Amino acid sequence: MPIYNSDVADIFNEVADLLEIEGANQYRVRAYRNAARTISTLSRNVSDMVEEGEDLTELRGIGEDLAGKIEEIVKSGDLKQLEEIEQRTSPALAKMLDVAGLGPKRVQTIYEELDVTTMEELREAAEQGKIRDLHGLGEKTEKKILEDLERWSAEEDRTRRDVAEERVEPLLSFLRSLDNVGRVEAAGSYRRKKETVGDLDVLAISDAGEEVISRFVEYEDVEEVVSQGETRSTVVFKSGLHVDLRVVEESSYGAALLYFTGSKQHNITLRNMALDRGLKINEYGVWDTTGESSEQKQLAGETEEEIYDLFDLPWIPPELREDRGEVEAAQKGELPSLVTLDDIRGDLQSHTTTSDGRASLEEMAQAAQALGREYLAVTDHSAYIGVTQGLEADELEERIEEIERLNEEMQDIILLKSVEVDVMEDGSLDLPDDVLEKLDLVIFAVHSHFDLSADRQTERIIRAMDNPNCNVMAHPTARQIGKRPAYEVDMGRLMDAALERGCFLELNAQPDRLDLDDVYCKMAKERGLKVTISTDAHGTEELKFIRFGVYQARRGWLSPDDVLNTRSWDDLEALLKR
């Protein structure tokens, strides 16, 4: 079985989680988390690096000890150290850290006091009112745990977009390399660029279906073959991802791609349009049903374009196929011209070793320049949240001078003097105005007090927007996919306040955030509120995460004009002035 970067990162993160529950030294815990992040963002497979004998200690944050552990994982698939920790502390406890309201100390308390070691036992304890009586928890925490367990159950069987990509793209390359195989495409939520993926549907054109299926079930990542037929097979990957391959004829490929891409509601809308015209649409094509069944003929099916054309519609991008008005917009000729990766001219959030990043200012600048970025905002954290090792006011002033010096040396890229400043519970900012007003861009963010009521959280953020130095609100709901739900906030009121004050909202492209979500992106567009697509990169490889933000923006109907950083710096600078 192949070992992917996400496999190594998952093991290191589990080590960090269990060590943290045990109360281990925070620097040791952080070393594993940093190593996990470094490995998960590599553009190459670390297994290949080990096989080719590369020096892993050249990777940032990877010393000899961690390099040895990476080699052990790649070669054996496991880590002996993790097995030893799991003998002391139940591995199921690590999953509890993903539940809202539970940190390492609270998980340890629940474990020691109630002997809870699984999610189901946690649910039972909360339902029976046992958690509220524990020291440091209470009824409010117990309620939050129950609410979040519902979310956790719903998300449990879905795979984050970036993790799915790591497995799906090599599979598609493998299938495309086979003899007698034409076009190959992943359909479903993967093609619609959703932030998480459920079961994966893959379509391939071939006249040798049985041969293709036999090669598919032998693919190196397959752990279990659920079914195997002449033109269809379902397998389970090592990661737990279910993959369904269908081999279809070229004459039906477009119909199958349309059908299996979905969404279900989009397909229902097309089916009803077909019925109104005396037609039938399914995964094999579009058929004329006006005559005898034996005389029905296929009107379209080879391409999606010809099917949409049959309904007097332009081709609708997969990202829009969610039954949110895309068919009506297509009928009126009002489909948006969606933003693309090529439209992005700069990145408005990044971090360096000055706070919690893993690359220097110069390294981040050079990497952004290599990607064709015209500008990069260097938004190291303010000091409020200690774990980010952020900047005090005097340190930020020194950073401003450093950026100005580097801008004199750099060509073809502008580094923006910026900061990610914390919003305090009362809405004030973690840095004084006389320093903030010297910056090109102020990103403001909520990193604490997530449990405020919707009214209090909304008021807090609007008070921060009242500060004339503030420009863009980072990750506006603070959610982390599969780990932390969005805090309660009146997003409509927040967007209206931003419009009134000349502020903007960020679409954070980190694949575990993608915050704003697609629904909020569309809401912002409808209000005329522009957003930024920013990577929040903490290392040079993460600058490539911009694509995930673009995917989300497209799902939210955003065009280049709706996105701030599709503009030149001169035009953007004018928009940022309040």
Side-chain angles (χ1 to χ4, degrees):
M1 292 290 182
I3 297 295
Y4 294 99
N5 293 348
S6 57
D7 296 325
V8 179
D10 286 345
I11 288 175
F12 279 171
N13 276 322
E14 187 172 356
V15 169
D17 288 341
L18 294 177
L19 287 175
E20 196 166 21
I21 290 171
E22 290 183 338
N25 181 288
Q26 281 300 306
Y27 289 102
R28 187 181 176 204
V29 173
R30 193 177 303 154
Y32 281 101
R33 295 208 191 284
N34 289 341
R37 189 159 187 168
T38 294
I39 297 301
S40 66
T41 58
L42 290 176
S43 56
R44 294 182 58 201
N45 195 318
V46 72
S47 294
D48 295 336
M49 298 173 70
V50 170
E51 186 176 331
E52 294 166 14
E54 294 191 31
D55 184 0
L56 300 181
T57 63
E58 293 183 0
L59 298 174
R60 186 172 294 277
I62 306 296
E64 289 186 10
D65 180 60
L66 286 170
K69 288 179 168 62
I70 293 170
E71 291 188 25
E72 180 186 348
I73 295 168
V74 168
K75 292 176 180 178
S76 71
D78 294 303
L79 181 63
K80 185 177 180 181
Q81 180 196 15
L82 178 58
E83 294 173 0
E84 293 171 351
I85 298 173
E86 288 177 341
Q87 290 177 0
R88 303 191 304 265
T89 305
S90 171
L93 295 181
K95 293 184 178 181
M96 293 186 195
L97 293 175
D98 293 341
V99 178
L102 292 185
K105 291 183 179 179
R106 286 180 168 179
V107 169
Q108 184 72 359
T109 297
I110 293 171
Y111 169 61
E112 291 178 349
E113 298 292 329
L114 301 177
D115 195 29
V116 166
T117 60
T118 68
M119 287 292 203
E120 189 54 42
E121 289 173 354
L122 178 65
R123 184 191 301 274
E124 290 175 3
E127 288 174 343
Q128 293 170 12
K130 295 179 179 180
I131 290 176
R132 68 183 66 183
D133 296 329
L134 299 179
H135 177 71
L137 280 89
E139 187 174 352
K140 185 177 180 181
T141 299
E142 184 177 73
K143 180 181 177 183
K144 183 184 292 185
I145 289 170
L146 278 171
E147 290 174 350
D148 201 51
L149 282 172
E150 294 302 318
R151 172 196 63 84
W152 190 88
S153 298
E155 295 178 352
E156 191 176 7
D157 295 329
R158 297 191 67 82
T159 302
R160 219 171 59 193
R161 172 81 200 184
D162 59 317
V163 177
E165 265 191 15
E166 190 179 26
R167 288 161 171 80
V168 173
E169 294 305 318
L171 170 65
L172 299 182
S173 296
F174 167 76
L175 291 172
R176 289 166 183 151
S177 72
L178 299 180
D179 293 335
N180 302 315
V181 173
R183 191 173 166 192
V184 177
E185 201 79 50
S189 55
Y190 189 83
R191 186 170 180 238
R192 301 201 313 277
K193 300 295 192 297
K194 291 196 72 169
E195 59 202 24
T196 59
V197 176
D199 295 346
L200 183 73
D201 289 302
V202 177
L203 303 176
I205 296 176
S206 179
D207 294 327
E210 195 168 358
E211 179 182 335
V212 174
I213 293 296
S214 67
R215 294 294 305 277
F216 169 64
V217 299
E218 294 173 354
Y219 180 64
E220 60 179 357
D221 204 17
V222 172
E223 186 170 74
E224 177 189 354
V225 178
V226 178
S227 65
Q228 180 177 351
E230 294 183 0
T231 59
R232 178 182 173 184
S233 175
T234 300
V235 302
V236 181
F237 277 6
K238 175 187 172 185
S239 64
L241 184 66
H242 285 66
V243 183
D244 196 351
L245 173 65
R246 290 174 170 85
V247 181
V248 301
E249 297 178 358
E250 188 168 2
S251 61
S252 295
Y253 183 79
L257 187 60
L258 179 63
Y259 181 86
F260 288 107
T261 293
S263 67
K264 180 180 179 180
Q265 290 304 315
H266 180 83
N267 287 350
I268 288 173
T269 298
L270 293 182
R271 186 182 68 192
N272 290 336
M273 292 176 68
L275 290 173
D276 290 342
R277 297 170 183 232
L279 306 177
K280 178 177 71 175
I281 182 171
N282 56 27
E283 63 264 46
Y284 302 106
V286 182
W287 309 83
D288 185 351
T289 61
T290 55
E292 298 294 330
S293 57
S294 60
E295 300 176 355
Q296 291 180 6
K297 67 174 183 175
Q298 183 178 354
L299 302 178
E302 187 170 340
T303 68
E304 289 185 321
E305 286 82 356
E306 69 179 16
I307 295 173
Y308 280 114
D309 185 61
L310 200 61
F311 296 112
D312 301 317
L313 297 173
W315 180 78
I316 298 176
E319 297 94 328
L320 298 184
R321 300 179 195 175
E322 298 290 352
D323 194 39
R324 296 177 187 160
E326 69 276 8
V327 172
E328 293 82 355
Q331 289 171 330
K332 297 175 183 177
E334 296 177 356
L335 282 177
S337 177
L338 299 178
V339 64
T340 69
L341 187 57
D342 290 339
D343 293 317
I344 302 298
R345 300 180 69 169
D347 194 334
L348 295 182
Q349 191 183 167
S350 68
H351 301 267
T352 73
T353 50
T354 297
S355 62
D356 61 342
R358 300 182 306 282
S360 68
L361 177 62
E362 292 85 352
E363 289 169 330
M364 292 296 285
Q366 290 165 1
Q369 186 177 19
L371 291 172
R373 304 290 174 259
E374 298 173 19
Y375 47 87
L376 174 70
V378 183
T379 57
D380 283 311
H381 290 274
S382 62
Y384 178 64
I385 301 296
V387 71
T388 63
Q389 302 171 309
L391 303 173
E392 301 287 357
D394 58 337
E395 294 172 315
L396 180 55
E397 297 219 55
E398 292 176 7
R399 171 43 65 101
I400 291 172
E401 294 175 3
E402 185 181 1
I403 291 174
E404 289 175 341
R405 285 195 300 271
L406 191 57
N407 271 334
E408 293 177 1
E409 301 171 10
M410 298 288 295
Q411 295 181 349
D412 301 324
I413 189 168
I414 301 169
L415 298 179
L416 306 185
K417 301 184 292 287
S418 317
V419 73
E420 184 179 4
V421 61
D422 273 279
V423 177
M424 313 300 278
E425 185 177 5
D426 64 357
S428 62
L429 304 180
D430 188 33
L431 286 166
D433 288 345
D434 63 344
V435 177
L436 295 177
E437 63 191 17
K438 297 177 182 179
L439 300 172
D440 298 312
L441 172 73
V442 173
I443 305 289
F444 59 103
V446 170
H447 291 120
S448 62
H449 303 292
F450 297 138
D451 58 350
L452 298 180
S453 68
D455 284 343
R456 288 184 63 195
Q457 198 72 268
T458 305
E459 289 291 344
R460 169 195 189 183
I461 297 168
I462 291 175
R463 280 195 293 272
M465 288 182 183
D466 286 336
N467 187 309
N469 294 304
C470 285
N471 301 117
V472 178
M473 184 182 181
H475 41 75
T477 72
R479 66 129 180 211
Q480 290 184 328
I481 297 171
K483 288 186 174 291
R484 184 174 67 209
Y487 50 58
E488 294 182 12
V489 69
D490 185 337
M491 189 56 69
R493 187 175 164 208
L494 210 60
M495 289 183 181
D496 292 339
L499 272 170
E500 291 169 5
R501 290 158 178 78
C503 288
F504 306 95
L505 300 186
E506 175 191 75
L507 194 178
N508 189 294
Q510 285 285 324
D512 67 341
R513 286 189 183 273
L514 294 177
D515 179 15
L516 298 169
D517 68 17
D518 51 346
V519 174
Y520 284 146
C521 284
K522 193 167 187 287
M523 183 188 295
K525 178 185 179 75
E526 291 166 351
R527 279 173 159 77
L529 176 64
K530 301 186 189 306
V531 305
T532 71
I533 303 176
S534 306
T535 62
D536 193 3
H538 285 66
T540 55
E541 287 294 328
E542 291 184 19
L543 290 167
K544 298 174 184 176
F545 283 174
I546 199 77
R547 72 182 187 279
F548 296 116
V550 171
Y551 296 161
Q552 188 83 309
R554 290 172 63 86
R555 286 183 52 77
W557 293 54
L558 301 191
S559 66
D561 186 59
D562 300 314
V563 179
L564 279 181
N565 47 315
T566 60
R567 293 162 172 78
S568 68
W569 169 237
D570 286 344
D571 290 342
L572 176 57
E573 186 179 23
L575 282 173
L576 292 174
K577 294 185 184 300
R578 291 183 51 173

